[in-house]
Amino acid sequence: MWKLTGADQKKREYALMLLLIVGFALVYLSLCFNHNIWTDEAFTIDLLRNCDTYREAVQFTAGDVHPPLYYLILKPFTDVFGIRLFLLKALSIIPMLLTMGLGITFVYRRYDFRTAFLYILMMAVIPCSMEYAVQVRMYSWAMFFVTSCGFAAADAYDRGKRRDWIFLGLAGVAAAYTHYFAFVAVIWIYGFLFLALLWDAGKRKELLWWLAAVLLSLAAYAPWLRALQNQVTGVSKNYWIGAIDKEVLLSYFDTLFETKLPYSTQMMTFLFGAAFVWLAVEVIRKRKQEDVLGLLACLPLVMTAVTGVAVSLIMRPVFIARYLMPCIPLFSFFFAVAWGRAEKKIYAALLVFSFFLGVVDYEKNWYVEYESTYVPQTEAFFAENLGENDLIVYNYKLFDFIYLCYFEPEQLCYIEDVDLSGDYDNIWLLDTHYNPDFSEEELEQYGWQKTFVGNYGIEHDEFKIYRISKSE
Amino acid sequence: MELSMMNLKSTESAKVNSRLPYFLIWGLVLVWMLLVWPGNMVREDASSRSIADDDRKTDHITQDLPVIQEFYPKYDRLYSVGFVLNREEGAVSEGTVSFKLYDEQIHLLAQQDFLMEEIADGSLTEVILNQKVKAGELYYFRIEVSGLLDKAPTLSYRSLSGCGPEENGQLYFGSNVIEDGSAVCRYEYRKKVGLAQVLAYDSFGVLMGMVLTEMVRQWKKKKELEVEMEKKSYGKK
């Protein structure tokens, strides 16, 4: 009575995987009901606000340091629905769910339920990923494209169907147009595919397809090459990233594995290290194709890090740990291939640990999204006090595009552009220390007086708020 | 009879020996779990500080005119307290700064003395305490300066309104309250881990226990197999 048939078993497994994906969708959505953004997210919003056309968006991005696809993905939505923070965060969740969906379409198809389930779970609970699932940046899209490219490469090697090669090319080009280090990861994927085809005498004729995919991908990327060259030149002269030393290299492990669980870095490094050793031994002993694929899946992350560090040492520092994010799902897949074959009780214990790790990580991300800044208090203050005929003045020029995410442009002004003879009810000064201020004489001349209100903040900028009102 | 007793004992002894690795493994797992909870050996960093730089300064601090800050700690292990003294760009170079921690009944809980040159000028000086406290109860920290020649330092403080360390209560200079004053400071804690974290550690311990158990089991199986193969090949000979 309780024995499931093959078809029923499959249905149950599909249902469990879908349930897991839907569960994480709800988890991610719950992190989106806030106004918490950081500098790079504000840049995304600023670009969308200032660029009316797609051409302008491409040109704007060409002047920055990233390729344009992410902004072009967002633009149709913001054109229709407006620039809403919740929408922008939700648009980062979609590729995370699609990447999890690859666990059903690829991992489950090639391996088994245990591997697929663990892949989906680990992709979501590995400490670094939850933050990027709801960030208004390109990393979750880069994850989807790089993972698709990796899985398409495996299918192209295995099945050699035309659609596999097409999908490989499309995913690779999309990754390259999303983030440069996603591009690096894709180059390594192509490289491993090349070596695999070369190694296997029976597959060498597929090298023609490989070459075609490379050439067509390069042709598709050609329009952006000039912008890439300009960006590389610009970065080689001056860039904000600091030098890479031993401490920075060790900090990469923290970036991947650190969460609100002391020693999580050590614990996760051990689990991933054990996965590598285990899989490597299996590959040496049995050389099963599925094990080789699992082991290869950890290499895009490793080689992207090696490439980034090498370029940083040779040219100038251009690499930081978050540029490894596009490779995280493949890294999780490697983990799942190794631990997915563990003895039943060990697998169950790993699922339990992963669940609690996910809970801890969720608590951390909840705090980061809702409680780590003074944005709610500052917004509440202005909701209560800001009148229609009031002006908000700031003196920290570098943050102007961030303030624009919180205040209406008509009511916001940089201190040096303020006309104190204007007819305002109140001027609210956001005074960041060590920045220009109104002098007492200036204020007196126009009949203003300044009163300290309190200490507040927006994102990393902490300031005193002064109310400047007319002297009675 | 004696022989069968000896056989029984050696079988029992062999069973104990064969189970010993498992006892050890799961004993270690139990120790790990107890250290996490209720041992509280693993603690999480937490921090609370003043926001927004401020340019309010107290009068000059001496031994007779100390600064005293009331505060209510958030967690039960106060790792450090940081404060900002101003030494007039290095002009104040002599003297000893004493940091004292008191409970509500004015019992001295901790004291640390610093030479003036050890005190950061206009930026945070951290006093490592690692002191057990009771969350939510009233404590004081007192800063006084002795051995001054002519100049004395001041303490930076800010307004109580707006956002900042919720811990702070009244600030005193000597015996006088500084109205709307709160020392610019930072409280670092080592707080107990929460339920989800405890369960994460416990499940990791169980996972490691299971992995080690399986490794021992596989190793024993391999050994038994080798012994059997030897017996067979010996039998054939």
Side-chain angles (χ1 to χ4, degrees):
Chain A
M1 182 176 125
W2 298 106
K3 196 175 163 104
L4 293 171
T5 64
D8 288 339
Q9 177 78 3
K10 266 192 156 9
K11 276 186 195 166
R12 188 178 80 152
E13 288 170 356
Y14 276 122
L16 283 171
M17 288 186 287
L18 279 169
L19 197 64
L20 190 62
I21 293 173
V22 166
F24 279 114
L26 295 173
V27 163
Y28 294 147
L29 278 170
S30 74
L31 295 173
C32 293
F33 295 96
N34 62 80
H35 294 164
N36 188 26
I37 56 169
W38 68 290
T39 316
D40 282 11
E41 291 178 298
F43 175 85
T44 301
I45 295 169
D46 194 45
L47 183 150
L48 293 166
R49 186 188 300 120
N50 287 314
C51 297
D52 292 326
T53 66
Y54 290 88
R55 190 186 175 85
E56 283 175 8
V58 171
Q59 284 170 345
F60 196 114
T61 330
D64 185 49
V65 292
H66 290 300
L69 182 59
Y70 171 63
Y71 307 107
L72 298 179
I73 291 171
L74 294 189
K75 196 147 172 43
F77 293 94
T78 56
D79 284 349
V80 171
F81 299 106
I83 298 175
R84 297 185 191 290
L85 197 53
F86 178 82
L87 171 70
L88 296 174
K89 287 176 183 269
L91 287 172
S92 289
I93 295 175
I94 292 171
M96 292 298 284
L97 302 180
L98 291 173
T99 313
M100 288 179 187
L102 293 174
I104 299 176
T105 60
F106 177 84
V107 184
Y108 182 58
R109 171 168 52 87
R110 285 183 79 107
Y111 290 81
D112 53 25
F113 169 70
R114 280 161 50 135
T115 308
F117 193 84
L118 188 56
Y119 157 76
I120 296 169
L121 181 62
M122 186 47 60
M123 209 206 101
V125 306
I126 189 170
C128 55
S129 76
M130 200 176 288
E131 176 189 346
Y132 292 96
V134 296
Q135 201 174 92
V136 185
R137 293 300 283 162
M138 70 286 285
Y139 294 101
S140 57
W141 285 99
M143 282 189 210
F144 173 59
F145 294 135
V146 169
T147 311
S148 299
C149 186
F151 289 162
D155 277 342
Y157 172 84
D158 227 10
R159 307 192 295 203
K161 288 184 180 171
R162 196 171 302 176
R163 70 163 188 257
D164 297 328
W165 290 105
I166 292 171
F167 198 51
L168 171 74
L170 287 173
V173 169
Y177 269 111
T178 305
H179 194 283
Y180 291 125
F181 281 95
F183 190 6
V184 168
V186 161
I187 289 171
W188 281 107
I189 289 169
Y190 269 88
F192 296 134
L193 179 59
F194 174 79
L195 290 173
L197 292 171
L198 198 65
W199 182 273
D200 188 337
K203 302 265 181 192
R204 281 182 196 155
K205 63 181 188 304
E206 303 290 326
L207 283 167
L208 285 171
W209 283 104
W210 181 91
L211 190 63
V214 167
L215 292 174
L216 287 171
S217 299
L218 284 174
Y221 203 66
W224 190 251
L225 283 174
R226 171 73 71 85
L228 169 60
Q229 189 187 15
N230 291 338
Q231 288 176 346
V232 168
T233 309
V235 154
S236 66
K237 289 177 190 158
N238 183 30
Y239 203 41
W240 59 271
I241 290 178
I244 295 178
D245 56 23
K246 194 176 83 174
E247 271 182 33
V248 169
L249 288 173
L250 287 174
S251 74
Y252 293 172
F253 290 91
D254 284 335
T255 302
L256 296 181
F257 299 135
E258 192 177 50
T259 186
K260 205 167 93 70
L261 189 75
Y263 308 110
S264 64
T265 301
Q266 290 85 338
M267 284 158 32
M268 294 299 288
T269 305
F270 174 80
L271 290 177
F272 274 80
F276 181 83
V277 168
W278 189 348
L279 214 48
V281 166
E282 287 292 295
V283 164
I284 291 167
R285 278 176 45 196
K286 295 175 188 168
R287 293 209 185 157
K288 279 166 71 175
Q289 187 175 310
E290 305 314 319
D291 294 342
V292 174
L293 177 61
L295 196 61
L296 281 175
C298 78
L299 293 183
L301 182 136
V302 173
M303 298 314 297
T304 301
V306 169
T307 308
V309 170
V311 170
S312 297
L313 292 174
I314 295 167
M315 193 172 89
R316 72 169 295 115
V318 292
F319 181 76
I320 49 175
R322 70 169 172 264
Y323 296 165
L324 294 173
M325 291 307 121
C327 302
I328 288 300
L330 284 176
F331 202 48
S332 305
F333 166 66
F334 139 75
F335 182 89
V337 170
W339 284 95
R341 85 249 331 265
E343 191 265 334
K344 207 160 65 169
K345 286 180 192 162
I346 294 176
Y347 180 80
L350 180 62
L351 290 186
V352 171
F353 168 67
S354 301
F355 170 75
F356 287 117
L357 180 70
V359 171
V360 170
D361 206 43
Y362 180 70
E363 284 180 358
K364 180 200 106 178
N365 280 282
W366 178 275
Y367 171 78
V368 167
E369 295 292 341
Y370 290 100
E371 295 168 14
S372 66
T373 69
Y374 294 108
V375 165
Q377 293 92 325
T378 305
E379 284 190 317
F381 172 82
F382 280 108
E384 197 181 318
N385 293 284
L386 186 68
E388 271 182 31
N389 197 32
D390 290 359
L391 185 69
I392 300 171
V393 173
Y394 62 93
N395 59 9
Y396 188 24
K397 188 84 173 101
L398 283 178
F399 254 56
D400 57 3
F401 70 106
I402 299 179
Y403 293 134
L404 282 168
C405 297
Y406 293 95
F407 305 112
E408 294 299 322
E410 305 81 43
Q411 273 191 299
L412 189 65
C413 190
Y414 177 58
I415 193 167
E416 288 178 5
D417 300 329
V418 171
D419 178 9
L420 283 172
S421 66
D423 181 29
Y424 307 110
D425 292 341
N426 293 292
I427 297 175
W428 301 96
L429 173 63
L430 311 182
D431 180 18
T432 304
H433 212 52
Y434 305 122
N435 282 282
D437 196 358
F438 293 119
S439 66
E440 291 295 328
E441 295 78 27
E442 225 178 336
L443 292 175
E444 262 182 46
Q445 186 188 351
Y446 293 97
W448 295 103
Q449 62 183 12
K450 191 166 106 174
T451 318
F452 175 74
V453 173
N455 293 292
Y456 291 85
I458 283 179
E459 303 312 311
H460 304 300
D461 177 33
E462 293 166 2
F463 44 74
K464 289 176 279 195
I465 295 181
Y466 288 92
R467 179 174 172 235
I468 299 173
S469 54
K470 286 289 186 186
S471 314
E472 283 160 26
Chain B
M1 175 80 164
E2 224 175 86
L3 196 61
S4 62
M5 283 298 291
M6 277 172 66
N7 282 343
L8 188 65
K9 277 186 184 169
S10 73
T11 308
E12 288 296 325
S13 158
K15 273 187 188 167
V16 167
N17 283 339
S18 76
R19 285 181 191 157
L20 189 59
Y22 304 118
F23 286 137
L24 277 172
I25 289 166
W26 290 101
L28 281 172
V29 170
L30 187 63
V31 166
W32 162 266
M33 289 167 76
L34 290 173
L35 284 175
V36 171
W37 187 88
N40 295 314
M41 297 299 287
V42 181
R43 283 177 174 260
E44 193 188 343
D45 296 347
S47 157
S48 180
R49 60 180 180 87
S50 309
I51 74 152
D53 291 319
D54 215 300
D55 49 13
R56 297 189 199 188
K57 295 180 176 62
T58 62
D59 285 334
H60 298 289
I61 304 169
T62 64
Q63 196 158 23
D64 298 323
L65 291 171
V67 163
I68 300 165
Q69 175 69 63
E70 288 179 352
F71 70 101
Y72 301 82
K74 274 167 136 173
Y75 305 107
D76 69 341
R77 175 82 59 84
L78 181 63
Y79 178 73
S80 71
V81 175
F83 57 88
V84 177
L85 275 191
N86 306 287
R87 292 169 45 204
E88 294 181 33
E89 288 170 26
V92 180
S93 56
E94 299 287 334
T96 303
V97 176
S98 290
F99 177 96
K100 296 177 182 175
L101 180 70
Y102 297 92
D103 65 10
E104 194 174 3
Q105 284 79 37
I106 323 291
H107 296 133
L108 179 66
L109 300 176
Q111 177 174 346
Q112 281 192 37
D113 295 334
F114 299 86
L115 295 173
M116 190 59 71
E117 61 209 25
E118 293 174 308
I119 298 291
D121 186 3
S123 59
L124 210 70
T125 295
E126 194 180 24
V127 183
I128 308 291
L129 298 165
N130 210 13
Q131 177 72 37
K132 262 179 144 175
V133 292
K134 290 188 182 155
E137 292 198 0
L138 177 61
Y139 290 82
Y140 305 88
F141 72 77
R142 173 187 170 115
I143 298 168
E144 61 192 45
V145 185
S146 59
L148 290 164
L149 285 182
D150 50 356
K151 294 177 187 292
T154 59
L155 182 86
S156 284
Y157 71 96
R158 39 141 290 205
S159 163
L160 275 165
S161 60
C163 314
E166 294 156 17
E167 290 89 332
N168 280 0
Q170 301 269 34
L171 177 67
Y172 297 86
F173 181 78
S175 55
N176 300 317
V177 172
I178 298 177
E179 293 296 332
D180 191 33
S182 167
V184 173
C185 60
R186 184 178 73 195
Y187 300 99
E188 295 269 351
Y189 302 93
R190 296 289 182 266
K191 66 176 199 168
K192 290 180 193 170
V193 292
L195 177 63
Q197 291 156 305
V198 169
L199 292 172
Y201 285 118
D202 287 351
S203 56
F204 184 79
V206 168
L207 172 63
M208 290 297 102
M210 284 184 174
V211 168
L212 288 170
T213 301
E214 181 63 16
M215 284 171 71
V216 167
R217 203 180 65 78
Q218 294 286 346
W219 178 80
K220 283 188 169 183
K221 204 169 156 182
K222 191 177 159 194
K223 282 287 171 200
E224 281 165 13
L225 215 64
E226 281 171 7
V227 164
E228 258 191 59
M229 296 290 284
E230 257 186 59
K231 277 185 187 167
K232 277 184 183 166
S233 66
Y234 186 73
K236 276 180 187 169
K237 282 180 190 170

